[in-house]
Amino acid sequence: MSQGVHYRVSMPRPHTHLFEVRATFPPGFDLLDAVLPVWTPGSYMVREFSRHVQDVRAQGPDGQPLAVRRADKRTWRVEAGGVAVTLAYRVYAHELSVRTSHLDGSHAYFNGATLFLYTEATRGLAHHVTVEAPPGWRAFTALDAHDGVFVADSYDALVDSPFEVGPHTPLTFSAAGVPHEVVVWGDTVPDPARLCVELQRLCETQARLFGGLPMKRYLFLVYLTDKGRGGLEHQASTALLFPRVGLHSPRGWEDFLTLAAHEYFHLWNVKRIKPRAFVPVDYAQENYTTLLWAFEGVTSYYDNRMVLRAGLMSTSRYLIRLGETLSALQGTPGRKAQTLAESSFVCWVKHYRPDEHSPNSAISYYLKGEVVAVLLDLELRRATADTRGLDDLMRVLWERHGDGAGVPEEGVEALASEVAGKDLAAFFDRAVRGTEELDYAVFAHVGLEVRARPRESTSDRGGTPAPRARSETRPRGWLGITPRSGGAFASIVEGSPAQEAGVYADDEIVALDGWRVDSAGLLSRCEDKLPGDTVHLSLFRRDRLVEVPVVLGQKPADALWIARVDKPTEAQKAAFQAWLGTPWEELG
């Protein structure tokens, strides 16, 4: 057996959802501490993967049993006595997400952080994986294989290379001279040929930005499910979770392309250009940085931009989607309570653990980070007479920090000021380190402005003017609650009439002024009234019927959209074309 760590993964009874793993470590340890990560890079929350590990046994090279005990929540300590150690254990895998592992009768997916015990002493050695699959199944991963054994040059590379095992026939295409595979589970893609053509265009568009691709092959793992949406980036692959019905509508197809573009952009931004705080990754605990907005938020800006740039989205659709993003931020009261830097820093306890108060106390570094990236791009263009922009900043980051050594906490801001040719500290003080409202006046540089109106319904995302003309312009009554299915609601807006009246987020509203209402009816009937009117809510609170009077406020104008200025100058038109690549006259 060659030097390094060797794993054998089998799944003899898939319906039990149990992987069977054998991990063999080289000799040289008196005491061997085998540990499992508590989180997986790209998903910033401690998830305690070790809770799914069971039946751990240890043996020496001749099969002799070795004493093993659990030293803490993630560590198994073996009295090795200097010999090679094999740990045999099982891992329960029945959570279908991009950050965990899933095994059933149709396939196996495993993220290495959930499955592979390791030691810090051998972390930098080669790690070998043999997959024993059921008949008719084969393994797919971005790792190279030699004689049926997959090889990673370190544990970090192994954790960054998820596996999909099943009876799949992959789709294939080449982009920028690099072979790509698409493996789909859960349903069939309605138009596989179109999917490959459009993914190819997306990949090549991104390759042109950075001057080529940083890997020798790439793997898309696509999981089509009944619900859920998300992706997780890896060094030469990605796992994408997407609702299967979405691929059958134009909006859903567009959403899938933006998801794929987002994770592919991470090939550069976060996998190679990364926060210095993540070098090396500490798998035992949280890894803190204030820069996630620059790695996730900027990537969110580019996911739509890349679909647009690849010719797969119209400019008008792009501006609508951007308006929806602005509306989502405007509808989040937490933007006044938490800075973007803090959101990046404490995401470990906030972003992935939302509760009914989260909208009032926090913002997403994805959401606000995307908006700040737009404004930074426009600031750079305004400062340099459209000779430089965010593309240039990304290329400088790639040139100076693409080696994986990491970007210092002040690095993004310093390079942005360098690209702009001026100090941008005031911009970052407001956008990243402050909680005051963002300044959208910079949109005027490209002949655009941000406008606002009240939302027409709970499903109104903004992004466009009011979908219908109203015969009256009177103000509408407003409770300040966010509904969900049933009579209860998800959250109460900070400072809203409902909060001031003493309504709680777990109250179940059953009637308004003595008449039964559901969530939609409740909100629409309040909007039919005027600000200052009093309504009486009948609600159940911990099974007790309570009546709460509420004085309605005025519905806020938090649906934003991006419109052309009334009299654009030739300079604004030229700046618009330089920004989006579309002539002003084609904007419509």
Side-chain angles (χ1 to χ4, degrees), residues 27-301:
F29 297 92
D30 289 328
L31 284 179
L32 182 144
D33 281 349
V35 295
L36 196 69
V38 302
W39 69 289
T40 186
S43 184
Y44 306 104
M45 187 177 84
V46 170
R47 299 184 184 277
E48 309 294 14
F49 296 129
S50 59
R51 72 189 190 276
H52 294 308
V53 177
Q54 64 184 68
D55 308 325
V56 180
R57 294 174 290 108
Q59 64 182 43
D62 297 323
Q64 70 273 29
L66 299 175
V68 57
R69 64 182 177 86
R70 199 162 189 163
D72 59 36
K73 67 180 181 180
R74 63 184 288 263
T75 305
W76 284 263
R77 180 162 294 163
V78 183
E79 295 181 13
V83 302
V85 173
T86 296
L87 287 169
Y89 56 96
R90 298 197 291 173
V91 179
Y92 185 73
H94 194 43
E95 180 182 349
L96 182 58
S97 79
V98 297
R99 58 189 173 264
T100 54
S101 294
H102 186 256
L103 172 64
D104 66 13
S106 65
H107 84 130
Y109 168 75
F110 54 93
N111 181 324
T114 73
L115 212 67
F116 296 126
L117 292 170
Y118 76 101
T119 76
E120 284 294 337
T122 58
R123 179 171 166 177
L125 299 180
H127 285 61
H128 310 257
V129 179
T130 300
V131 177
E132 295 181 339
W137 290 17
R138 58 173 287 204
F140 298 87
T141 182
L143 294 174
D144 289 335
H146 302 285
D147 298 324
V149 178
F150 298 98
V151 181
D153 60 13
S154 66
Y155 183 78
D156 299 280
L158 177 62
V159 168
D160 218 7
S161 307
F163 284 72
E164 168 64 21
V165 188
H168 313 301
T169 301
L171 306 173
T172 62
F173 63 90
S174 179
V178 173
H180 289 60
E181 281 189 321
V182 183
V183 176
V184 181
W185 174 90
D187 202 351
T188 57
V189 176
D191 193 339
R194 177 189 174 192
L195 179 67
C196 288
V197 167
E198 297 190 355
L199 286 177
Q200 178 190 40
R201 290 169 64 177
L202 271 178
C203 297
E204 292 185 338
T205 299
Q206 298 196 31
R208 283 192 292 272
L209 172 61
F210 290 100
L213 294 175
M215 73 291 170
K216 60 184 179 182
R217 59 192 183 90
Y218 192 83
L219 174 65
F220 288 97
L221 299 176
V222 180
Y223 299 90
L224 300 178
T225 64
D226 56 335
K227 58 185 177 181
R229 180 188 187 278
L232 189 62
E233 69 277 2
H234 297 282
Q235 196 167 33
S237 61
T238 185
L240 307 174
L241 189 75
F242 198 77
R244 58 175 62 91
V245 296
L247 293 180
H248 295 271
S249 71
R251 170 79 192 219
W253 189 276
E254 185 179 82
D255 284 345
F256 179 81
L257 291 179
T258 60
L259 175 62
H262 182 103
E263 304 307 332
Y264 201 79
F265 197 83
H266 277 316
L267 277 172
W268 298 273
N269 200 34
V270 97
K271 297 315 301 182
R272 291 163 175 85
I273 311 166
K274 62 183 66 176
R276 187 165 292 172
F278 290 178
V279 183
V281 169
D282 185 347
Y283 296 111
Q285 61 187 350
E286 297 88 345
N287 293 218
Y288 292 105
T289 177
T290 60
L291 290 177
L292 286 183
W293 70 268
F295 292 95
E296 292 291 355
V298 167
T299 300
S300 293
Y301 172 49

Side-chain angles (χ1 to χ4, degrees), residues 551-573:
V551 179
L552 296 177
Q554 181 171 335
K555 190 172 186 181
D558 60 358
L560 308 185
W561 81 97
I562 298 171
R564 293 185 294 182
V565 299
D566 291 334
K567 296 180 180 179
T569 66
E570 292 304 313
Q572 288 174 315
K573 293 178 181 179

Side-chain angles (χ1 to χ4, degrees), residues 319 446-449 451 561-568 576 584-588:
L319 292 177
V446 291
L448 302 174
E449 61 184 7
R451 299 178 184 175
W561 81 97
I562 298 171
R564 293 185 294 182
V565 299
D566 291 334
K567 296 180 180 179
F576 176 87
W584 177 267
E585 292 72 22
E586 295 181 12
L587 181 55

Side-chain angles (χ1 to χ4, degrees), residues 386-408:
D386 292 297
T387 60
R388 308 193 83 184
L390 196 59
D391 285 0
D392 300 279
L393 174 57
M394 294 310 303
R395 282 190 283 262
V396 172
L397 282 165
W398 175 237
E399 291 166 2
R400 300 189 191 177
H401 299 289
D403 59 359
V407 181

